[in-house]
Amino acid sequence: MKKQPRFRRWHKLDNTANLFPVVASRRTTNVFRMTAVLRDTVDPGLLQRALEQTLPYYAAFGVRLRHGLFWSYLEANDSVPVVRLEQDVPCRYMDPLETGRFLFRVLYFENRVHLETFHVLTDGTGAMRFLKAICYRYCQLAYPDGTEQEKRYGLEQAGNVEDCYLKYSRPSKKAGYKEPSAFHIKGTKRLAGDVGVVSLLMPVTDLKRVCKESGVSIGEYLAALVLCSIRQAHMPAGGAKKPINLFVPVNLRRIFGGDTSLNFFSGMTVSQKFGPGPANFDAVLQDVKRQFAEKCTREAFEQKLAYTAQSEKNLFARMTPLLLKNGILRLIYEHSSHGSTTTLSNLGVVDVDEKFQPYFEGFRFLLPASPGEPLKFTACAYGGTLALNVTTLLDRNPLILQIAQHLVQAGVPITLESNGDEDETL
């Protein structure tokens, strides 16, 4: 086996990551979960070995958070992370004392391997790369007769900790961004600390057929479905003055290039205002398609990169003490949080190396619900099945029923997974 690479002992937080340590709390954790569903029950001893043998290659993960006078930064962590049996709710607060100062945790339950990551480290693309690399090594250890032992897989971008926000930012005349105040979802809350999780599993071929009939992409179709379902399940019959604003994260690697293991995403807000009467899904779908075409462009994201990069390039901002800087960031975050109703993050198709495909059943992806966004949505696909996942702080939410009924009526069969009693709603 090749000698493990050696990385520098510290690196800066990327441009987006500077915000997450400031706003993270037990109510708003900024911890997301990636799950690999394997064919067989997980052996925790082998999973521990796989993690220990993979982590040294991933400079973005083998770190702890430190705070300087002007900026926070990430320093190499020489401790050994420990895999644990899943016993708590997903996406909970990342307590550094519990994790050995690491900003991620690896959990297992039956045939599932979970990677939970504090967003300060990376985005969904970076986390999925790390999870797959751990699972590849696990499969090599668990099935020595069926896998090649010497070659390591999933390490192509493991050591890249380049800040692509600064690399690809260009000067722009755009002053800033302000979304209108959004409609917020209300409902009966679950008990404190409880989180509901539902996954709607559907054949990609059937969903593609429905999307093709309407001339839209899967992402556009799911966005319109979420918007209309929120209107039907949570808005008064007469509509609302404020629009439903759906935040859609976008992987900027697909637009600008770059293979960093750090965060490199932005997002767009898809907005829809509803008046009296039921939502017209076809009309909403075509408007969502229009907004995707206008907002998901290289030019639009170049302006956003220029705006977000100003803070690091501005001399005054660079020389402002961290304590004051964090206070300003917190105020900006609290102000901007009123502009979003919920989030829909579509990771797309998860690719698995052909040699390891027999050992995987699927993948799941969860975002943490929060008081401001008590429902969040994610999607990812593998092996011909798309998983539309919902995390919720609300009790017995009718919105899930709205989504499932719409898909079934459109000819898309649904299989449901849940961690509680949400299936009773269906």
Side-chain angles (χ1 to χ4, degrees):
M1 190 173 295
K2 289 184 179 180
K3 185 178 179 181
Q4 296 174 356
R6 298 184 67 180
F7 302 109
R8 59 186 180 180
R9 296 293 297 175
W10 69 277
H11 62 265
K12 294 169 53 181
L13 275 66
D14 62 72
N15 186 266
T16 293
N18 284 301
L19 176 65
F20 296 121
V22 179
V23 301
S25 68
R26 296 188 184 277
R27 287 160 53 89
T28 306
T29 67
N30 286 304
V31 173
F32 62 93
R33 170 182 284 194
M34 298 289 177
T35 298
V37 185
L38 304 181
R39 297 286 183 186
D40 300 321
T41 301
V42 173
D43 181 325
L46 295 183
L47 182 60
Q48 178 68 42
R49 288 174 56 190
L51 172 59
E52 291 179 18
Q53 293 174 15
T54 303
L55 180 60
Y57 291 90
Y58 275 80
F61 283 83
V63 295
R64 59 181 178 175
L65 182 64
R66 301 298 295 268
H67 304 287
L69 179 60
F70 298 104
W71 295 99
S72 298
Y73 62 97
L74 296 167
E75 180 183 71
N77 188 346
D78 296 325
S79 302
V80 178
V82 178
V83 303
R84 300 186 186 278
L85 176 67
E86 180 192 21
Q87 296 178 310
D88 296 293
V89 296
C91 305
R92 62 188 177 88
Y93 179 72
M94 192 69 64
D95 187 339
L97 296 179
E98 172 200 326
T99 61
R101 302 290 178 181
F102 287 103
L103 303 175
F104 71 92
R105 60 172 73 96
V106 175
L107 308 169
Y108 66 93
F109 183 78
E110 295 180 351
N111 65 328
R112 300 188 177 218
V113 178
H114 308 294
L115 170 66
E116 295 193 336
T117 305
F118 186 26
H119 226 321
V120 72
L121 293 184
T122 188
D123 53 22
T125 300
M128 182 58 76
R129 288 173 177 175
F130 185 43
L131 175 62
K132 288 195 296 182
I134 294 170
C135 290
Y136 289 161
R137 186 56 188 156
Y138 172 83
C139 290
Q140 288 179 308
L141 297 173
Y143 311 103
D145 295 335
T147 57
E148 184 181 352
Q149 294 296 296
E150 292 302 317
K151 184 177 178 181
R152 296 300 302 267
Y153 293 83
L155 306 180
E156 292 80 9
Q157 295 88 22
N160 189 336
V161 290
E162 183 177 35
D163 189 339
C164 285
Y165 291 103
L166 296 181
K167 178 179 180 179
Y168 291 101
S169 67
R170 300 290 183 269
S172 173
K173 296 181 181 179
K174 189 75 174 181
Y177 295 88
K178 183 179 180 180
E179 299 293 348
S181 183
F183 172 83
H184 288 283
I185 298 171
K186 300 186 185 306
T188 303
K189 295 291 197 303
R190 291 170 169 266
L191 295 175
D194 187 22
V195 178
V197 177
V198 180
S199 294
L200 302 177
L201 309 180
M202 63 200 78
V204 173
T205 52
D206 290 312
L207 185 59
K208 278 186 174 180
R209 172 182 51 78
V210 172
C211 293
K212 185 176 181 180
E213 291 172 357
S214 299
V216 298
S217 68
I218 288 178
E220 292 164 346
Y221 191 91
L222 294 178
L225 180 54
V226 168
L227 289 167
C228 290
S229 298
I230 292 174
R231 192 269 174 269
Q232 296 299 104
H234 290 285
M235 234 180 217
K241 293 181 179 180
K242 296 180 180 179
I244 298 175
N245 287 347
L246 179 66
F247 181 72
V248 181
V250 176
N251 178 12
L252 295 182
R253 298 169 185 82
R254 298 177 179 175
I255 297 175
F256 294 96
D259 276 324
T260 183
S261 291
L262 304 183
N263 287 293
F264 192 39
F265 76 100
S266 185
M268 58 182 177
T269 298
V270 179
S271 185
Q272 197 71 36
K273 194 168 184 179
F274 292 94
N280 183 329
F281 179 76
D282 291 334
V284 172
L285 183 59
Q286 293 308 311
D287 189 58
V288 167
K289 179 180 179 180
R290 175 190 62 79
Q291 291 188 57
F292 266 66
E294 292 177 357
K295 298 178 180 180
C296 194
T297 66
R298 184 183 179 97
E299 292 73 22
F301 288 117
E302 281 178 344
Q303 292 180 346
K304 289 191 174 186
L305 286 182
Y307 174 66
T308 57
Q310 284 177 5
S311 61
E312 287 197 49
K313 294 182 178 181
N314 182 278
L315 181 60
F316 175 77
R318 289 167 62 117
M319 299 305 295
T320 301
L322 183 62
L323 186 63
L324 178 58
K325 194 176 299 176
N326 286 349
I328 296 172
L329 285 173
R330 190 175 293 108
L331 289 174
I332 293 173
Y333 173 80
E334 291 175 355
H335 178 73
S336 64
S337 64
H338 297 291
S340 180
T341 304
T342 187
T343 297
L344 169 63
S345 183
N346 183 9
L347 199 64
V349 178
V350 180
D351 295 319
V352 171
D353 191 281
E354 185 177 1
K355 295 180 176 61
F356 298 98
Q357 290 176 6
Y359 308 111
F360 287 82
E361 282 190 357
F363 290 88
R364 307 289 184 267
F365 169 31
L366 300 178
L367 290 177
S370 64
E373 294 186 34
L375 284 151
K376 286 194 180 179
F377 302 83
T378 59
C380 61
Y382 174 77
T385 298
L386 183 138
L388 177 62
N389 311 289
V390 187
T391 49
T392 176
L393 300 181
L394 303 179
D395 188 38
R396 294 177 178 272
N397 190 349
L399 179 144
I400 297 167
L401 176 62
Q402 294 283 343
I403 293 175
Q405 286 181 336
H406 177 100
L407 290 168
V408 170
Q409 290 171 4
V412 182
I414 297 294
T415 302
L416 182 142
E417 290 181 348
S418 144
N419 72 336
D421 56 9
E422 278 72 22
D423 54 330
E424 297 177 10
T425 310
L426 301 177

